[in-house]
């Protein structure tokens, strides 16, 4: 059974755990067990560590299927599930520390550089607060992002955005996740009080972007094409997949509700041509969004298999394409919500939580598509002033 088939088989269990996860503001043990059974949390981990080393298209589609049943589970599957891919780029010493005792160990993250990462002799000094660490309560470590001075690559100096990996004893989780959407993700705050992180547990994103193609330590042994895809595009892809799953979950619920819903005058809405048109348009938009995300995943892998370093313009287009797809899906959800009757505003309405999940997912910073449109459009037109985004 493929990973996608396992996700579909687990749909009922995931759906049953969705409301309890939202209630406790983190995934239930049953939801986590379902994700482990599917294999999605280790899908991008190198095979030599017992991982799936899966194709990105299979991973993205699996995340979408999980999110269709439970938006929170799909979101955690996307963001926690992609971390083994990044850890595989770190030195062997780091991988051994993370996975040596427990290859199934889960690592959370928060990349927005709100805390402080300072370069010091032998490593980094880390302190401050990071928010939106999805799935942190089911993980035993975290990747944090920050700017540690500057770094020169190919003769140009750049702000040195780095990722550092901390063990669970090096930070604390503050439960701040009291939100309207994606409540079950447990995206709490991470607080660090001046912890030293050795150099081999840090990696510069300058090499992921401006230095793409320069060999990274982990690629020596993890030499599959999967580990040569660009970081920013890969992460944008999985975030888009998480959002699409949430949008499809809303769509499924809308169809279920509308099949039996009647107007105030007793007429079945399913018989109304305008309602049928709303459904057809929504199905088309969502299908197109999914196809675009899967296409990008396939193109990423094909470029990696050719050992090709994609141009900045190509990377900008990929990021724009998947982010715009997620936004188009969210626009579809909002259009359907507008024709869902006033009762959908009640908190206990079957559509309300799924609507909030889709809105929350679509609000991720990597899905803000205006600068991505400029980043690609400017390059395609030969403009000199270009939007500053990670590529």
């Amino acid at each position: 059974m493929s990973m996608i088939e396992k996700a579909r088989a687990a749909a009922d269990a995931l759906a049953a755990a969705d409301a309890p996860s939202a209630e406790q503001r983190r995934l239930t043990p049953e939801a986590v067990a379902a994700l482990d059974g599917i294999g999605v949390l280790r899908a991008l981990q190198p095979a030599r560590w017992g991982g799936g080393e899966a194709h990105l298209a299979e991973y993205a589609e699996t995340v979408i299927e999980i999110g269709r049943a439970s938006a929170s589970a799909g979101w955690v599957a996307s963001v926690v599930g992609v971390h083994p891919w990044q850890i595989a780029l770190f030195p062997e010493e780091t991988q051994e520390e993370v996975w040596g005792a427990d290859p199934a160990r889960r690592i959370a993250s928060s990349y927005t550089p709100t805390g402080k990462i300072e370069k010091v002799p032998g490593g980094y000094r880390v302190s401050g607060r990071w928010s939106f660490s999805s799935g942190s309560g089911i993980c035993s470590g975290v990747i944090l992002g920050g700017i540690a001075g500057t770094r020169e690559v190919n003769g140009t100096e750049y702000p040195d955005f780095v990722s550092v990996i901390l063990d669970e004893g090096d930070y604390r989780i503050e439960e701040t996740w009291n939100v309207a959407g994606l409540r079950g993700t447990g995206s709490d705050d991470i607080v660090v009080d001046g912890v030293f992180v050795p150099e081999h547990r840090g990696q510069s994103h300058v090499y992921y972007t401006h230095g793409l193609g320069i060999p990274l330590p982990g690629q020596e042994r993890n030499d599959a094409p999967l580990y040569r895809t660009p970081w920013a595009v890969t992460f944008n892809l999985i975030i888009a997949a998480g959002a699409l799953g949430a949008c499809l979950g809303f769509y499924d619920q809308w169809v279920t509700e509308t099949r039996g819903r009647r107007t105030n005058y007793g007429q079945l809405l399913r018989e109304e041509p305008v309602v049928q048109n709303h459904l057809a348009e929504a199905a088309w938009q969502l299908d197109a969004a999914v196809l675009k995300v899967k296409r990008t995943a396939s193109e990423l892998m094909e470029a990696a298999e050719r050992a090709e370093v994609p141009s900045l313009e190509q990377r900008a287009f990929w990021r724009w394409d998947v982010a715009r797809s997620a936004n188009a899906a969210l626009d579809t959800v909002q259009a359907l919500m507008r024709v869902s009757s006033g009762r959908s505003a009640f908190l206990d309405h079957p559509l309300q939580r799924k609507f909030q999940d889709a809105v929350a997912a679509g609000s991720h910073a990597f899905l803000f598509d205006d600068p991505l449109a400029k980043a690609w459009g400017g390059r395609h037109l030969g403009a000199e002033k270009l939007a500053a985004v990670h590529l």
Side-chain angles (χ1 to χ4, degrees), residues 7 21 130 174 230 239-240 275 304 306 322 329 364 368:
S21 293
W130 284 259
E174 287 197 3
I239 292 297
V275 173
R306 295 191 298 267
V322 297
H364 191 281
F368 182 43

Side-chain angles (χ1 to χ4, degrees), residues 230-279:
W231 184 93
V233 183
T234 301
F235 270 63
N236 218 148
L237 175 81
I238 62 96
I239 292 297
L244 285 180
C247 291
L248 283 164
F250 175 90
Y251 166 85
D252 291 341
Q253 190 67 46
W254 187 91
V255 171
T256 298
E257 295 296 314
T258 304
R259 279 178 176 148
R261 184 179 148 210
R262 294 178 181 271
T263 69
N264 291 337
Y265 303 99
Q267 297 167 314
L268 281 167
L269 280 176
R270 69 185 185 217
E271 304 297 338
E272 296 291 330
V274 67
V275 173
Q276 296 162 6
N277 185 67
H278 277 298
L279 172 64

Side-chain angles (χ1 to χ4, degrees), residues 96-120:
E96 183 65 43
E97 288 176 359
V98 174
W99 293 322
D102 180 11
R105 182 182 177 191
R106 296 186 289 264
I107 304 293
S109 72
S110 181
Y111 293 97
T112 304
T114 53
K116 183 179 180 180
I117 299 180
E118 179 186 7
K119 192 75 176 72
V120 297

Side-chain angles (χ1 to χ4, degrees), residues 330-365:
L330 181 56
D331 290 345
T332 297
V333 165
Q334 291 171 326
L336 290 178
M337 191 64 170
R338 284 196 296 270
V339 293
S340 298
S341 90
R343 292 199 173 275
S344 63
F346 283 85
L347 293 177
D348 61 352
H349 192 278
L351 286 175
Q352 186 57 227
R353 189 175 71 248
K354 289 186 177 295
F355 176 70
Q356 296 296 341
D357 286 341
V359 171
S363 299
H364 191 281

Side-chain angles (χ1 to χ4, degrees), residues 47-67:
R48 67 190 188 88
W49 287 108
E53 210 165 293
H55 192 288
L56 273 180
E58 182 186 14
Y59 175 70
E61 189 171 355
T62 300
V63 166
I64 291 169
E65 288 296 327
I66 293 169

